[in-house]
Structures are given as C-alpha cells and as structure tokens.
Amino acid sequence: MSRPRMLLSVAGVAVALALVLTLVLVLGDGDSPKPGSPAPEAGLDFVVTDFTSKLSADQEYRPPKSDERRTAAAGFAAVLDRRGTADLRKLGFSVRDGVDPATGRPYTIVVNEPGTERAWGMYVIDRSAPPSLAVEVPHPAFDLRTELFGVDLFRRTPGVVLLVAGAHRKADDSKADVAHEENSMFHVLASALAGRGLAQVQLHGFHDENLPSTDIVLSSGATMTGSAPRRAASRLTADGFAVCRAWEEQCKGLEGTTNVQGRMAASDDTVFLHVEMSRSVRESPEQRSDVVRALLEADLRKP
C-alpha cells in the first residue's frame, strides 16, 4: 500500500472511532442510564420492606374516627373500581399506579400519610386480574418477615389485594393491633373485600420456643373450617412442615379465634385462613418459598 493511501486509511479509522465515541456519549452505552431518563422503578419487595422498616412501638398512631372510616370505605371501593381517588386523598393517602419489575404486572398502591398519627396502612391492588384474594399482614415489624410472605403471595397470584398495617401492633398502647381492633382502617378495607366475597389469608409469626415441635399453625379463626384450610394443611404437611391444625387440636393460644377479621368473615360466610409461622420458617427464604407454593396449591380462593 502506498504511503498516501495508508494515511487516508488511518484517518478514516480515526473518524470512525470519533463517531462511535460521540454516539456513546449522546446515547449511552446500554448499561448506564441515559441522561434525563427516569430511574427504574423499585421492586415491590423493596417498596413494602422500606415501608415496614420505619414502624416502631413508639410511633405516632390514632384510630380513624367513624366518619373517616366511612370515607375510607367509599374511597377504597372507588379505587378498586377505578372510579377515582379523591376520598382516600382527603384522608392523607397517596394513590399511584406502578408496575412491579419482577413480574411485569401493573398495580395500584395506596399508602398512608408518612410520619403522622394517620398511620393507616399500605394497600396494593394487582391490576392484572379481577380481585380474588386478600393477603393480610397485620403485624409488620413485630411478626418479622411476614411482609415478605405477603409480597411473594401477591407476586404469584394474579388478582391479589395486599393489606399491610401502617403501625407497629404495640403503638398507641396496642390500639394499633389491627387484628383485634374493629375501628382500624385495616379492618375497614378487609371488610370491604370480604363483602365482595374475597377469601382472606392472614400471616402471623410465633417464637420457636412457644411451640417447639410445630412449624406452622393453621386456623380458620371464628369461621367454620371448610375445605380450603384442610387443603392448605395437607399441602404443607406433604412439604415436610409440622402443622398444628387448630380445628383438631390445641395450638397454645395461636388459633386466632379472637381475630376480628376472622369474626367478620364468619358473619359474611367467606373463607378466612389464619397462618402462624415459627421464627425459623420465617427466617428461611427456602421455607418461605415452600410455604407460599403450598398455599398457592391449596387455592384458597375456593371454599
């Protein structure tokens, strides 16, 4: 190759490299966010655990007044049916739509006013299917890791509505214990869902030493024990869990018979499953996956 032609070739390569560099700077390299592009949406597990990590026994909390509960019932029905958000916003809730990157499924999330006494909960509605199951976490930050079970059930069941209490159960002299307080916002929304015929599965935890030979306690609370709790017990037993069936034996006060959502389900003749899990089960991601799979296989949406 002659020297002039060689110089021309080198110059061409230099121009090409300059163009590539310019494109990388302008368009991004494919791995880095492009200038001005929105940050990727956080996964629902992060959103929920970030919310529950801020709860404590000494946080502010007050029960909603009767008129606030009526407004919330109307407002939640409107959000479920996509008729508007004004009533819930009046109560300090934020309402927004999102997509969980882990599943690609859309949802609507309703969150209480942060850092105030109106600590009334987080509620997430899966929008990929009509509402069909209420998954309830009444004692976040107390029954540790139960919110993770809730998120897993939500992600693996289209049509779930996830209810997470907005305060530690010991807040305000234990008036924030939504599983035993009918005047809570949590109970208002659980009642609205049961009124639409949805089954409820409620997630709790106990210390290993309280029932050392048991992994999980299942109960139908105050309702008659139908097929759904029995199916769940069979699936969990088949997966190797030691299950105390509260309809057949005493389970050391973990039967959930005073649970107000269970009592409400009894009056509505809807399915209610009270699930108590040992600390060891709750601390194990593998066992969490097994519990969630067993509950899914039991198809709690059927009586």
Side-chain angles (χ1 to χ4, degrees):
M1 183 182 294
S2 67
R3 183 175 179 80
R5 187 173 297 177
M6 183 180 298
L7 289 173
L8 184 61
S9 177
V10 170
V13 171
V15 170
L17 287 172
L19 285 172
V20 170
L21 180 59
T22 301
L23 286 171
V24 167
L25 290 173
V26 172
L27 299 178
D29 61 4
D31 294 322
S32 304
K34 300 171 181 58
S37 64
E41 183 157 5
L44 189 61
D45 50 349
F46 174 81
V47 173
V48 173
T49 55
D50 182 60
F51 175 79
T52 60
S53 70
K54 297 177 173 67
L55 309 185
S56 67
D58 58 0
Q59 73 177 102
E60 289 188 83
Y61 174 82
R62 72 164 173 85
K65 300 170 184 175
S66 58
D67 62 321
E68 291 171 325
R69 296 197 298 273
R70 286 192 298 271
T71 300
F76 191 61
V79 169
L80 272 174
D81 299 333
R82 292 192 178 279
R83 290 185 283 105
T85 65
D87 282 337
L88 289 184
R89 292 188 188 279
K90 280 185 218 171
L91 299 171
F93 285 101
S94 63
V95 184
R96 70 172 180 86
D97 292 327
V99 174
D100 183 25
T103 62
R105 296 209 312 263
Y107 62 77
T108 299
I109 186 165
V110 178
V111 185
N112 62 212
E113 189 174 26
T116 74
E117 62 185 3
R118 299 199 288 188
W120 292 337
M122 169 183 280
Y123 308 96
V124 192
I125 306 163
D126 179 78
R127 293 300 194 182
S128 69
S132 59
L133 179 68
V135 174
E136 300 170 356
V137 182
H139 298 149
F142 185 86
D143 291 347
L144 298 177
R145 312 285 185 269
T146 50
E147 72 279 359
L148 297 178
F149 286 83
V151 170
D152 282 2
L153 279 167
F154 180 93
R155 281 177 160 167
R156 295 176 65 180
T157 316
V160 160
V161 182
L162 175 64
L163 290 75
V164 182
H168 191 284
R169 71 177 295 181
K170 296 294 185 183
D172 193 26
D173 256 353
S174 295
K175 292 185 182 70
D177 183 355
V178 298
H180 296 95
E181 295 289 343
E182 290 184 337
N183 66 349
S184 72
M185 201 65 80
F186 186 97
H187 187 69
V188 168
L189 303 189
S191 299
L193 295 170
R196 293 179 178 224
L198 270 66
Q200 302 171 76
V201 54
Q202 192 168 106
L203 305 166
H204 294 265
F206 65 92
H207 290 296
D208 290 10
E209 57 269 24
N210 288 356
L211 217 56
S213 60
T214 299
D215 297 314
I216 296 174
V217 176
L218 291 184
S219 167
S220 51
T223 65
M224 293 290 292
T225 302
S227 298
R230 298 177 192 276
R231 289 197 302 271
S234 297
R235 297 297 193 283
L236 288 163
T237 301
D239 275 346
F241 292 100
V243 178
C244 184
R245 296 161 167 82
W247 55 90
E248 294 178 356
E249 56 189 312
Q250 296 293 314
C251 302
K252 271 203 164 180
L254 298 173
E255 296 88 354
T257 54
T258 61
N259 184 288
V260 295
Q261 286 80 48
R263 289 180 173 178
M264 173 266 297
S267 65
D268 284 342
D269 195 25
T270 53
V271 173
F272 178 79
L273 181 64
H274 188 272
V275 184
E276 290 269 6
M277 295 168 285
S278 73
R279 180 69 179 268
S280 293
V281 168
R282 286 177 284 127
E283 292 290 354
S284 166
E286 293 79 13
Q287 292 191 72
R288 182 172 78 238
S289 178
D290 290 342
V291 169
V292 169
R293 185 183 66 252
L295 293 176
L296 291 173
E297 289 173 353
D299 197 356
L300 304 175
R301 293 168 292 187
K302 295 179 181 177

